Amino acid sequence: MSDVKTIEIHENIFADNDMAAKMVREKLKNNNCYMVNFMSSPGSGKTTTLISLINKLKNNLNIYLMNVDIKTDCDASKIAKNTGINTLQINNGGLCHIDAEMTLNALKEVDLKDIDLLILENIGNLVCPAEFDTGANKNIMILSVPEGDDKPLKYPLMFSVCDLVLINKIDVLPFFDFDMDKAVKNIKNLNKNAKIIPISAKTGEGIDEVINWLNNCFKF
């Protein structure tokens, strides 16, 4: 009878990515720059939220944005046009995420020494981006009301790795079957340390609270 040998390998398959993420954080620290990684599904209002945030922060902070997408520079151009800040478009050739190695390579195009806040607008996806540490100091995600209050149950990893969860489009709550209490409970069951802020990027409601959270995190 043939022999079957079993071995256990405990090396982290993301070890290379973790090393690159550490290098990203060291690079940020050496330049006194903070990076936040924004994640969400397509259509959640991520770009609109960023425009609202940036326009309230840009008078006191030097802000730079890196946008990740498969093709085009639609979002990066929209943010540059509506805020006046400099942006960098990263086209990742069809991948569903950006990892730390890609982020590290992108930073070669950015002069960090004059930047206070670096925003990474990750590709629209609730699965893959959550799996890869980009080296960001904080992870932020947006859940929009039209997506439904069940998304934390369906995509648990995304909600588990985020420091801040923004529940966007609360201005349309009356028109959707979205239970805010249930959504908050589902998120907290996955991540008790996550800060949850309901917002409307369209009306500006909640944006000041997001700014206060950022200020408390980074002591701008």
Side-chain angles (χ1 to χ4, degrees):
M1 190 171 89
S2 62
D3 181 43
V4 178
K5 185 176 182 180
T6 302
I7 63 172
E8 294 185 12
I9 300 176
H10 296 286
E11 182 179 0
N12 186 352
I13 61 171
F14 291 106
D16 288 344
N17 189 76
D18 291 343
M19 182 63 69
K22 182 179 179 182
M23 293 171 67
V24 169
R25 276 187 274 272
E26 288 177 353
K27 190 176 181 72
L28 293 168
K29 183 178 179 180
N30 291 339
N31 286 276
N32 197 30
C33 176
Y34 297 101
M35 183 169 82
V36 291
N37 173 30
F38 270 81
M39 298 178 285
S40 75
S41 61
S44 67
K46 184 162 72 264
T47 300
T48 304
T49 299
L50 286 172
I51 289 172
S52 184
L53 277 172
I54 291 166
N55 279 330
K56 285 205 167 191
L57 288 167
K58 66 182 183 182
N59 290 333
N60 298 315
L61 298 174
N62 291 322
I63 305 172
Y64 193 95
L65 179 130
M66 301 192 303
N67 173 269
V68 187
D69 221 330
I70 294 174
K71 283 188 176 293
T72 80
D73 62 358
C74 294
D75 292 338
S77 295
K78 184 177 181 180
I79 288 175
K81 179 180 178 181
N82 286 278
T83 66
I85 70 165
N86 292 322
T87 64
L88 175 69
Q89 179 64 51
I90 303 170
N91 292 133
N92 67 0
L95 297 176
C96 61
H97 67 276
I98 183 172
D99 59 28
E101 186 66 36
M102 298 176 202
T103 305
L104 195 60
N105 287 333
L107 290 181
K108 295 175 183 178
E109 306 297 323
V110 182
D111 187 0
L112 291 176
K113 70 177 185 294
D114 294 323
I115 299 172
D116 301 308
L117 179 62
L118 177 63
I119 298 172
L120 177 65
E121 184 179 8
N122 216 314
I123 196 164
N125 190 313
L126 285 181
V127 182
C128 304
E131 297 178 349
F132 293 88
D133 185 354
T134 62
N137 301 106
K138 296 292 182 182
N139 289 319
I140 301 173
M141 77 150 297
I142 299 175
L143 168 67
S144 67
V145 167
E147 293 175 80
D149 52 43
D150 62 343
K151 290 302 174 289
L153 302 177
K154 298 176 75 172
Y155 304 98
L157 181 60
M158 174 62 76
F159 292 85
S160 298
V161 302
C162 287
D163 303 285
L164 173 64
V165 177
L166 305 180
I167 300 181
N168 190 27
K169 303 187 181 181
I170 57 173
D171 50 299
V172 299
L173 268 171
F175 308 103
F176 288 89
D177 185 18
F178 185 97
D179 189 322
M180 183 66 73
D181 291 337
K182 184 185 293 184
V184 170
K185 181 180 178 181
N186 289 339
I187 295 167
K188 285 296 186 179
N189 284 341
L190 291 168
N191 184 354
K192 65 180 181 180
N193 296 318
K195 175 69 174 178
I196 303 170
I197 303 177
I199 68 167
S200 169
K202 183 177 180 179
T203 68
E205 185 176 356
I207 296 299
D208 286 342
E209 189 176 351
V210 179
I211 291 172
N212 289 336
W213 182 87
L214 289 170
N215 284 333
N216 288 332
C217 285
F218 303 128
K219 307 300 179 186
F220 287 127

